[in-house]
Short mmCIF file of all heavy atoms in Angstrom, two decimals:
data_model
loop_
_atom_site.label_atom_id
_atom_site.label_comp_id
_atom_site.label_asym_id
_atom_site.label_seq_id
_atom_site.Cartn_x
_atom_site.Cartn_y
_atom_site.Cartn_z
N TRP A 205 84.92 100.07 78.49
CA TRP A 205 85.65 101.24 78.93
C TRP A 205 87.04 101.17 78.37
O TRP A 205 87.60 100.10 78.15
CB TRP A 205 85.83 101.24 80.48
CG TRP A 205 84.52 101.32 81.20
CD1 TRP A 205 83.83 100.34 81.87
CD2 TRP A 205 83.73 102.46 81.37
NE1 TRP A 205 82.68 100.81 82.48
CE2 TRP A 205 82.53 102.15 82.16
CE3 TRP A 205 83.79 103.85 81.00
CZ2 TRP A 205 81.53 103.04 82.51
CZ3 TRP A 205 82.79 104.79 81.29
CH2 TRP A 205 81.68 104.34 82.05
N VAL A 206 87.63 102.33 78.15
CA VAL A 206 89.01 102.45 77.67
C VAL A 206 89.89 103.02 78.80
O VAL A 206 89.63 104.16 79.20
CB VAL A 206 89.17 103.31 76.45
CG1 VAL A 206 90.54 103.44 75.98
CG2 VAL A 206 88.30 102.81 75.27
N LEU A 207 90.89 102.25 79.21
CA LEU A 207 91.77 102.67 80.26
C LEU A 207 93.17 102.74 79.78
O LEU A 207 93.60 102.02 78.79
CB LEU A 207 91.84 101.61 81.37
CG LEU A 207 90.80 101.69 82.58
CD1 LEU A 207 89.41 101.88 81.99
CD2 LEU A 207 90.89 100.38 83.40
N MET A 208 93.96 103.73 80.24
CA MET A 208 95.28 103.84 79.85
C MET A 208 96.25 103.55 80.98
O MET A 208 96.03 104.14 82.17
CB MET A 208 95.58 105.20 79.29
CG MET A 208 97.12 105.42 78.94
SD MET A 208 97.50 107.14 78.30
CE MET A 208 97.27 106.84 76.57
N GLU A 209 97.19 102.69 80.75
CA GLU A 209 98.36 102.66 81.78
C GLU A 209 99.41 103.58 81.21
O GLU A 209 99.74 103.50 80.16
CB GLU A 209 98.83 101.14 82.06
CG GLU A 209 99.81 100.63 81.01
CD GLU A 209 99.07 100.11 79.80
OE1 GLU A 209 97.87 100.18 79.67
OE2 GLU A 209 99.85 99.61 78.84
N ILE A 210 99.84 104.48 82.10
CA ILE A 210 100.79 105.46 81.69
C ILE A 210 102.21 104.90 81.46
O ILE A 210 102.97 105.19 80.50
CB ILE A 210 100.93 106.58 82.82
CG1 ILE A 210 99.67 107.37 82.93
CG2 ILE A 210 102.07 107.48 82.49
CD1 ILE A 210 99.52 108.45 81.91
N CYS A 211 102.46 103.88 82.36
CA CYS A 211 103.84 103.48 82.54
C CYS A 211 104.24 102.33 81.59
O CYS A 211 103.51 101.25 81.58
CB CYS A 211 104.07 103.08 84.00
SG CYS A 211 105.56 102.14 84.32
N GLY A 212 105.29 102.43 80.87
CA GLY A 212 105.72 101.33 79.96
C GLY A 212 106.09 100.07 80.69
O GLY A 212 105.94 99.00 80.16
N GLY A 213 106.57 100.21 81.94
CA GLY A 213 106.86 99.00 82.76
C GLY A 213 105.58 98.17 83.01
O GLY A 213 105.58 96.97 82.96
N GLN A 214 104.50 98.94 83.15
CA GLN A 214 103.21 98.22 83.32
C GLN A 214 102.71 97.64 82.05
O GLN A 214 102.16 96.52 81.96
CB GLN A 214 102.18 99.18 83.90
CG GLN A 214 102.44 99.64 85.36
CD GLN A 214 101.53 100.72 85.84
OE1 GLN A 214 100.96 101.55 85.06
NE2 GLN A 214 101.47 100.78 87.13
N THR A 215 102.95 98.32 80.96
CA THR A 215 102.58 97.68 79.59
C THR A 215 103.30 96.39 79.49
O THR A 215 102.62 95.46 79.10
CB THR A 215 103.04 98.66 78.48
OG1 THR A 215 102.57 99.92 78.67
CG2 THR A 215 102.64 98.10 77.08
N HIS A 216 104.53 96.29 79.80
CA HIS A 216 105.25 95.06 79.66
C HIS A 216 104.72 93.97 80.63
O HIS A 216 104.52 92.83 80.27
CB HIS A 216 106.76 95.21 79.90
CG HIS A 216 107.49 95.45 78.64
ND1 HIS A 216 108.42 94.54 78.10
CD2 HIS A 216 107.45 96.39 77.70
CE1 HIS A 216 108.84 95.00 76.97
NE2 HIS A 216 108.25 96.13 76.71
N ALA A 217 104.42 94.37 81.85
CA ALA A 217 103.88 93.39 82.83
C ALA A 217 102.52 92.85 82.33
O ALA A 217 102.22 91.71 82.52
CB ALA A 217 103.66 94.15 84.23
N ILE A 218 101.73 93.75 81.74
CA ILE A 218 100.45 93.35 81.28
C ILE A 218 100.56 92.35 80.13
O ILE A 218 99.87 91.30 80.07
CB ILE A 218 99.58 94.58 80.79
CG1 ILE A 218 99.14 95.42 82.02
CG2 ILE A 218 98.44 94.18 79.94
CD1 ILE A 218 98.73 96.82 81.64
N MET A 219 101.44 92.64 79.22
CA MET A 219 101.58 91.71 78.07
C MET A 219 102.29 90.42 78.47
O MET A 219 101.88 89.38 78.05
CB MET A 219 102.53 92.39 76.99
CG MET A 219 102.00 93.70 76.45
SD MET A 219 100.30 93.54 75.75
CE MET A 219 100.57 92.48 74.37
N GLN A 220 103.29 90.55 79.42
CA GLN A 220 103.98 89.34 79.81
C GLN A 220 103.13 88.31 80.57
O GLN A 220 103.24 87.19 80.40
CB GLN A 220 105.21 89.77 80.66
CG GLN A 220 106.12 88.65 80.99
CD GLN A 220 107.39 89.10 81.61
OE1 GLN A 220 107.46 90.18 82.20
NE2 GLN A 220 108.42 88.22 81.60
N SER A 221 102.20 88.91 81.43
CA SER A 221 101.47 88.06 82.29
C SER A 221 100.17 87.55 81.50
O SER A 221 99.42 86.79 81.96
CB SER A 221 101.07 88.77 83.54
OG SER A 221 100.24 89.92 83.20
N GLY A 222 99.92 88.13 80.27
CA GLY A 222 98.71 87.81 79.59
C GLY A 222 97.47 88.41 80.07
O GLY A 222 96.38 88.03 79.74
N LEU A 223 97.63 89.44 80.95
CA LEU A 223 96.36 90.08 81.54
C LEU A 223 95.49 90.64 80.44
O LEU A 223 94.32 90.68 80.59
CB LEU A 223 96.82 91.28 82.42
CG LEU A 223 96.99 90.99 83.88
CD1 LEU A 223 97.23 92.30 84.64
CD2 LEU A 223 95.84 90.25 84.45
N ASP A 224 96.17 91.16 79.35
CA ASP A 224 95.31 91.69 78.21
C ASP A 224 94.38 90.70 77.76
O ASP A 224 93.26 91.02 77.29
CB ASP A 224 96.30 92.21 77.13
CG ASP A 224 97.19 91.11 76.62
OD1 ASP A 224 97.78 90.43 77.49
OD2 ASP A 224 97.25 90.86 75.37
N GLN A 225 94.70 89.37 77.85
CA GLN A 225 93.80 88.35 77.30
C GLN A 225 92.80 87.86 78.31
O GLN A 225 91.71 87.40 78.13
CB GLN A 225 94.69 87.11 76.94
CG GLN A 225 95.85 87.45 76.10
CD GLN A 225 95.67 87.09 74.69
OE1 GLN A 225 95.43 86.00 74.32
NE2 GLN A 225 95.75 88.15 73.81
N LEU A 226 93.26 88.00 79.69
CA LEU A 226 92.42 87.45 80.77
C LEU A 226 91.27 88.39 81.19
O LEU A 226 90.25 88.04 81.56
CB LEU A 226 93.30 87.26 82.01
CG LEU A 226 94.23 86.15 82.07
CD1 LEU A 226 95.15 86.17 83.22
CD2 LEU A 226 93.53 84.80 81.89
N LEU A 227 91.52 89.75 80.85
CA LEU A 227 90.54 90.74 81.18
C LEU A 227 89.25 90.60 80.33
O LEU A 227 89.35 90.13 79.23
CB LEU A 227 91.11 92.11 81.10
CG LEU A 227 92.11 92.53 82.17
CD1 LEU A 227 92.86 93.80 81.71
CD2 LEU A 227 91.37 92.79 83.46
N PRO A 228 88.08 90.96 80.88
CA PRO A 228 86.93 90.94 80.04
C PRO A 228 87.08 91.79 78.84
O PRO A 228 87.75 92.76 78.85
CB PRO A 228 85.85 91.57 80.96
CG PRO A 228 86.37 91.48 82.32
CD PRO A 228 87.87 91.46 82.25
N PRO A 229 86.53 91.37 77.72
CA PRO A 229 86.71 92.12 76.47
C PRO A 229 86.22 93.61 76.48
O PRO A 229 86.58 94.35 75.67
CB PRO A 229 85.95 91.32 75.36
CG PRO A 229 85.04 90.38 76.16
CD PRO A 229 85.67 90.19 77.54
N GLU A 230 85.37 93.92 77.48
CA GLU A 230 84.89 95.22 77.62
C GLU A 230 85.94 96.15 78.00
O GLU A 230 85.76 97.39 77.89
CB GLU A 230 83.71 95.32 78.62
CG GLU A 230 82.43 94.64 78.19
CD GLU A 230 82.37 93.17 78.69
OE1 GLU A 230 83.43 92.56 78.98
OE2 GLU A 230 81.27 92.54 78.72
N ILE A 231 87.01 95.67 78.58
CA ILE A 231 88.17 96.54 79.09
C ILE A 231 89.15 96.65 78.01
O ILE A 231 89.80 95.65 77.64
CB ILE A 231 88.79 96.00 80.32
CG1 ILE A 231 87.80 95.72 81.45
CG2 ILE A 231 89.84 96.89 80.81
CD1 ILE A 231 87.34 96.96 82.18
#
Side-chain angles (χ1 to χ4, degrees):
Chain A
W205 298 104
V206 179
L207 272 48
M208 175 182 273
E209 83 278 0
I210 294 280
C211 168
Q214 292 175 336
T215 305
H216 266 247
I218 288 164
M219 301 304 295
Q220 186 170 23
S221 60
L223 269 188
D224 55 311
Q225 316 255 299
L226 289 173
L227 286 166
E230 291 90 343
I231 306 283

